[in-house]
């Protein structure tokens, strides 16, 4: 099949089971009428891939360039938070991490500035009040020691456990440092060894030099609510304050070679829709796929138990938040017809979710940020097309 005029009638490639033909149609429509530039979408059903489509063009030097290929990878923004959380849940599954113990039991330096009693559960539920890394030096987002030292010294912005908030720029290091303390490895290395390599997942916290030629840049969208907030700066701007730690003037940080090989687990994981759909396919069917156990059913239950359903204290948007993933939230994070579906989005529209009721997973990634503050019209059209399949 081919697109319309959106990207010079670039051909779309891949496979799509006949039962999901509407997804292929919606994917082509995204290029023809919804300004898609380059993207991929994948759907697994009961552990088998049913949709694996890609198309358009990669972005180089902030302009559309060569065709998006099967193995093109792109930054999937905050989806990396969910992957980091999965690593921590795997450690809990193995009896190494206890949700009810104090964070300071694993990370002694954390017991400063009123954080002595914060539990792992409170931290992973986004209820620790550590949304602003004010004690971290400017531009230090990719400096792991500076990040965790600053977060250890950081005082909560409100009494821990009293409010829930999206820890936009800090979640990855807060949870990732627990992984490092327990394993001696950064979360990206732990993920590659324990999950990524056994499952053959093309997803990276830190991108090796040998893989960097496959990477597409992200093209910012001025109509993105997050991009606008980060670009605006100013004293009352919560997101700008949270992301002050990024180096350089670009508020969403182009993929500079100096940082590609460093971990920033709140937002800088890179990979394919196929990889994330496969990871969440395991979670959609009890925790295993291809003979590899990612999590036990009990660990999945722990991860997906609702912790708060309220306006987020950082963004003001309503979230249904669990321990590192969101439950289906109509409007901002629509995951189909099952209210117990769970997943995570990345600013600009990248998305992954699992629906255990249908034993189905979905992932989408794009190199052109969507407008607004949710998953955007392109991703929404694909999710609606999955629902229209009747599966």
């Amino acid at each position: 099949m081919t697109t319309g005029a959106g990207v010079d009638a670039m051909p779309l490639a891949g496979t799509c089971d006949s039962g999901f033909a509407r997804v292929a149609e919606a994917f082509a429509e995204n290029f023809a009428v919804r300004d898609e530039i380059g993207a991929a979408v994948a759907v697994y059903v009961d552990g088998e891939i049913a949709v694996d489509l890609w198309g358009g063009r990669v972005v180089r030097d902030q302009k559309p360039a060569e065709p998006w290929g099967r193995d093109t990878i792109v930054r999937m923004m905050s989806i990396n938070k969910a992957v980091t959380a999965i690593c921590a849940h795997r450690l809990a599954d193995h009896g190494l991490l206890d949700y009810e113990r104090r964070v300071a039991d694993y990370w002694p330096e954390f017991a400063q500035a009123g954080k002595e009693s914060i539990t792992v559960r409170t931290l992973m539920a986004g209820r620790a009040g550590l949304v602003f890394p004010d004690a971290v030096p400017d531009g230090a987002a990719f400096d792991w020691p500076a990040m965790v030292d600053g977060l250890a010294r950081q005082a909560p912005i409100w009494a821990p456990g009293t409010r829930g908030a999206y820890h936009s720029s800090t979640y990855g290091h807060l949870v990732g440092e627990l992984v490092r303390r327990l394993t001696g490895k950064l979360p990206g290395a732990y993920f590659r060894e324990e999950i990524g390599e056994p499952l053959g997942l093309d997803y990276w916290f830190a991108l090796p030099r040998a893989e960097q030629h496959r990477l597409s840049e992200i093209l910012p969208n001025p109509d993105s609510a997050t991009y606008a907030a980060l670009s605006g700066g100013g004293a009352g701007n919560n997101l700008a304050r949270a992301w002050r730690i990024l180096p350089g003037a670009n508020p969403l940080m182009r993929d500079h070679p100096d940082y590609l090989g460093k971990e920033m687990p709140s937002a800088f994981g890179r990979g394919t829709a196929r990889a994330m759909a496969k990871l969440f396919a395991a979670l959609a069917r009890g925790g295993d796929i291809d003979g590899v156990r990612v999590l036990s059913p009990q660990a999945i239950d722990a991860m997906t138990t609702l912790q708060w359903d309220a306006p987020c204290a950082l963004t003001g948007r309503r979230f249904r938040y669990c321990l590192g993933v969101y439950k289906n939230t109509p409007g901002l994070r629509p995951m189909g017809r099952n209210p117990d579906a769970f997943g995570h989005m990345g600013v600009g529209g990248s998305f992954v979710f699992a629906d255990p009721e249908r034993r189905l997973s979905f992932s989408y990634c794009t190199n052109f940020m969507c407008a607004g503050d949710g998953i955007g019209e392109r991703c929404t059209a694909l999710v609606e097309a999955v629902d229209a399949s009747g599966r």
Side-chain angles (χ1 to χ4, degrees):
M1 63 183 171
T2 59
T3 70
V7 283
D8 303 323
M10 286 297 301
L12 305 184
T15 60
C16 182
D17 289 359
S18 59
F20 288 92
R22 182 68 192 97
V23 178
E25 294 169 5
F27 192 56
E29 289 167 2
N30 281 347
F31 290 91
V33 301
R34 301 187 188 100
D35 299 321
E36 189 74 275
I37 293 176
V41 61
V43 177
Y44 271 78
V45 178
D46 203 13
E48 300 292 333
I49 195 160
V51 177
D52 185 13
L53 297 171
W54 60 89
R57 295 185 180 275
V58 303
V59 171
R60 305 272 187 229
D61 297 322
Q62 295 294 281
K63 298 185 294 291
E66 73 267 23
W68 183 296
R70 183 184 188 277
D71 295 324
T72 294
I73 53 179
V74 70
R75 191 185 341 143
M76 298 175 77
M77 305 296 194
S78 289
I79 285 174
N80 217 26
K81 294 182 179 72
V83 183
T84 303
I86 288 169
C87 292
H89 289 297
R90 184 176 173 88
L91 293 172
D93 213 4
H94 292 174
L96 299 174
L97 182 67
D98 186 333
Y99 302 116
E100 311 311 329
R101 287 187 63 179
R102 301 181 314 141
V103 173
D105 291 339
Y106 306 102
W107 178 3
E109 297 87 345
F110 188 81
Q112 302 180 54
K115 304 193 302 299
E116 296 83 355
S117 298
I118 292 176
T119 65
V120 171
R121 179 180 299 280
T122 298
L123 188 79
M124 294 189 69
R127 294 172 61 86
L130 298 172
V131 294
F132 299 123
D134 294 339
V136 175
D138 288 349
F142 295 92
D143 183 335
W144 193 279
M147 282 291 301
V148 299
D149 176 68
L151 291 173
R153 292 184 287 105
Q154 182 70 48
I157 199 71
W158 55 77
T162 61
R163 304 175 73 185
Y166 184 43
H167 283 51
S168 176
S169 64
T170 60
Y171 191 89
H173 280 93
L174 290 168
V175 177
E177 182 64 4
L178 289 176
V179 174
R180 193 186 74 84
R181 294 285 172 143
L182 287 167
T183 67
K185 303 169 186 174
L186 291 177
Y190 176 81
F191 170 78
R192 291 300 308 163
E193 292 176 16
E194 294 285 321
I195 302 172
E197 290 176 4
L199 286 178
L201 301 182
D202 194 1
Y203 186 85
W204 311 84
F205 282 58
L207 191 63
R209 187 172 298 276
E211 310 294 341
Q212 293 177 11
H213 67 283
R214 300 189 289 120
L215 179 67
S216 172
E217 293 178 4
I218 296 288
L219 190 64
N221 186 335
D223 293 326
S224 159
T226 300
Y227 182 77
L230 292 179
S231 300
N237 186 325
N238 284 346
L239 283 172
R241 178 179 172 187
W243 284 101
R244 171 193 54 80
I245 56 176
L246 283 180
N250 187 325
L252 285 174
M253 257 292 300
R254 288 176 61 182
D255 292 298
H256 194 284
D258 289 350
Y259 305 111
L260 288 176
K262 298 182 179 181
E263 295 192 23
M264 201 298 174
S266 286
F268 285 81
R270 300 168 176 91
T272 65
R274 184 186 313 112
M276 283 296 95
K278 185 173 183 179
L279 176 60
F280 275 68
L283 306 181
R285 60 194 301 270
D288 67 90
I289 190 169
D290 290 353
V292 176
R293 168 75 60 174
V294 177
L295 294 176
S296 70
Q298 294 76 20
I300 296 171
D301 285 345
M303 180 175 69
T304 60
T305 297
L306 190 66
Q307 301 295 310
W308 50 277
D309 179 352
C312 164
L314 176 72
T315 66
R317 306 165 192 163
R318 180 206 170 189
F319 294 151
R320 300 178 68 226
Y321 198 70
C322 305
L323 292 180
V325 293
Y326 294 87
K327 280 285 180 75
N328 200 349
T329 308
L332 288 174
R333 289 163 171 76
M335 305 177 195
R337 57 181 179 267
N338 180 8
D340 287 326
F342 59 89
H344 211 292
M345 73 163 286
V347 62
S350 292
F351 198 35
V352 63
F353 72 83
D355 183 344
E357 183 179 282
R358 295 187 282 173
R359 297 170 72 86
L360 176 148
S361 67
F362 167 95
S363 185
Y364 161 79
C365 59
T366 178
N367 60 12
F368 179 43
M369 294 178 68
C370 67
D373 57 9
I375 64 172
E377 62 175 2
R378 285 172 270 139
C379 187
T380 297
L382 294 168
V383 174
E384 289 175 350
V386 171
D387 265 8
S389 71
R391 175 66 192 192

